[in-house]
Amino acid sequence: MEKPAGYSKARMEKIAREYQVVAEEINKDRKNSLSSQTIMFNLSESFSNPKRVPGVKIKGNPIPYILSLKKTTTSGLMMSSGYGGGTANMEYMTLTGLATANFSSTLQTPYTQIVPRLTKNWTFNQLFDYAVGIHPYQGVFYSRVADYAKFGFNRFYYLGSKYKIIDKKKIGKSPYLSDETSYANALTQLKTDKNGTFINLVTMQNHMPYDTQYHKNYSKWLPTSVSEGTDKGTVATYTTGLTYTDKAVKQFIKQINKIQKPITVVFYGDHLPGIYNNSMAKDGTKLHETDYFIYSNTYAREHGARTLTSNTKVVSPNDFMAMVAEQTNSKVTPYLALMTKVYEDSPAVSINTGQNSTASLQFTNSKGQVVKYSQLTKKQKRLWQDYKLVQYDLTAGKQYLYQLHMMK
């Protein structure tokens, strides 16, 4: 990452002091502690409503439950910095709060290029007493086994680990374990672990390829029309997988509402599947829009959790930690205070990548419109500069902020 103008120990001390004040102001109205909450981030592989894709027309509603849930809880669209890939980068952004758009274009994957070489890597799970990773697939991809250990996860459940994936189920001829399996493993942790646990669940069910031999009933979701070069059978297979996700999420929400402790779940699609032959110049923003919702169970809502109604229509993965703190009415650290200001006062940020497009930093407003950096207000530009300085310090600089207690 290029060194931002003005980077110095004195400048970082000033930033730490400023956001300590912001944190104190925010915390005046917050009554809970994150360490008393149970929070789960659920990266749902390739989940995004296909009916939103330009040129694709599908009869019926493949995800009725999730769309109905989005109407009654914190929800909207998440701007992904990937198309057809980039899972680990979205995961990195949710756990660290750092935007991959700020890194050099030569840095493709922070999980393999940054995390292993740093002695300190701050992640959201470190604010909790216990942290668990769950991924019903191989754990070695993107160096997750090593990275999760550096992040301070207490356990990582994956195929082949000493912590076993249970209730293994597949759908039809799919080679991947189902979302039903993912949620069964998550529920085991939610029911047995003490309060103050963080869970990072990364699913695999809807991963490519989308073979038409996977599901017997895939023809039900054949599109009536698609853009030229897009295969109808592939879209139908992918859409069929979403219907199974929808049913699994419905059962999962039903189950967590029975648990007598505050549980909040952030569900988000990491990117669209790379199956749509659209013009990125024309449809670039649309091909980066995935679905998300943040749901607090019955017990959490009875103890202070609330639905967010502002700044929710279009967000970035790095916004989720600040949103969770606000939804659960939890106090924030100076770093989370900064992330709260970035979430509230800046447009969503992503990298416009994929299909004949040169990667570039991109802002998107609440209407889904691209905003250039030059169009930001003076206040927004100053905030973004603070954010870049913090990101540089934590990943490429002297890591002064750890000494200044900004992360605690």
Side-chain angles (χ1 to χ4, degrees), residues 16 19-20 23 332-339 405-408:
Y19 290 98
Q20 176 64 48
V332 297
T333 63
Y335 179 68
L336 282 187
L338 166 64
M339 296 311 305
H405 307 296
M406 189 170 176
M407 320 308 289
K408 293 184 178 181

Side-chain angles (χ1 to χ4, degrees), residues 79-92:
M79 294 306 300
S80 173
S81 292
Y83 172 74
T87 298
N89 289 357
M90 301 309 103
E91 190 180 342
Y92 178 83

Side-chain angles (χ1 to χ4, degrees), residues 111-313:
Y111 264 22
T112 57
Q113 292 174 273
I114 288 183
V115 177
R117 72 172 184 81
L118 291 178
T119 55
K120 290 183 179 179
N121 288 277
W122 184 90
T123 45
F124 187 56
N125 58 279
Q126 292 168 22
L127 296 177
F128 299 80
D129 296 331
Y130 211 75
V132 177
I134 303 173
H135 181 46
Y137 198 63
Q138 308 299 326
V140 294
F141 289 98
Y142 302 113
S143 301
R144 277 197 184 94
V145 174
D147 288 355
Y148 279 21
K150 282 213 160 196
F151 292 162
F153 278 82
N154 299 90
R155 293 185 303 237
F156 180 23
Y157 293 80
Y158 61 91
L159 296 180
S161 71
K162 65 178 180 179
Y163 304 110
K164 304 300 180 185
I165 296 290
I166 60 173
D167 294 336
K168 297 177 186 176
K169 294 179 182 177
K170 295 179 180 178
I171 301 170
K173 295 182 180 180
S174 172
Y176 304 117
L177 290 173
S178 66
D179 283 355
E180 183 182 354
T181 294
S182 295
Y183 292 128
N185 282 268
L187 278 168
T188 297
Q189 302 306 314
L190 290 170
K191 290 176 179 178
T192 57
D193 288 343
K194 294 180 179 179
N195 216 20
T197 295
F198 176 84
I199 296 175
N200 194 56
L201 172 66
V202 180
T203 72
M204 274 299 287
Q205 176 188 291
N206 296 320
H207 198 282
M208 66 176 299
Y210 306 101
D211 193 323
T212 55
Q213 302 301 311
Y214 283 177
H215 309 303
K216 291 180 180 179
N217 59 342
Y218 84 98
S219 59
K220 175 183 177 181
W221 297 105
L222 279 169
T224 56
S225 66
V226 294
S227 57
E228 185 178 354
T230 298
D231 182 71
K232 288 186 176 182
T234 301
V235 174
T237 300
Y238 166 72
T239 305
T240 303
L242 300 186
T243 68
Y244 287 106
T245 299
D246 194 64
K247 294 181 178 114
V249 168
K250 183 177 183 178
Q251 285 301 114
F252 178 67
I253 296 296
K254 183 178 179 181
Q255 291 296 317
I256 66 171
N257 278 332
K258 296 177 182 178
I259 300 175
Q260 293 300 298
K261 62 182 176 183
I263 299 171
T264 295
V265 177
V266 178
F267 173 100
Y268 66 100
D270 54 339
H271 55 72
L272 276 75
I275 61 176
Y276 305 114
N277 186 29
N278 294 60
S279 166
M280 288 298 288
K282 179 181 177 183
D283 303 318
T285 301
K286 290 293 182 185
L287 294 186
H288 288 278
E289 294 176 348
T290 71
D291 296 83
Y292 89 89
F293 66 78
I294 303 177
Y295 180 83
S296 295
N297 72 341
T298 303
Y299 187 93
R301 294 196 304 274
E302 291 172 349
H303 292 80
R306 57 203 176 193
T307 297
L308 307 184
T309 56
S310 59
N311 306 310
T312 60
K313 290 184 179 179

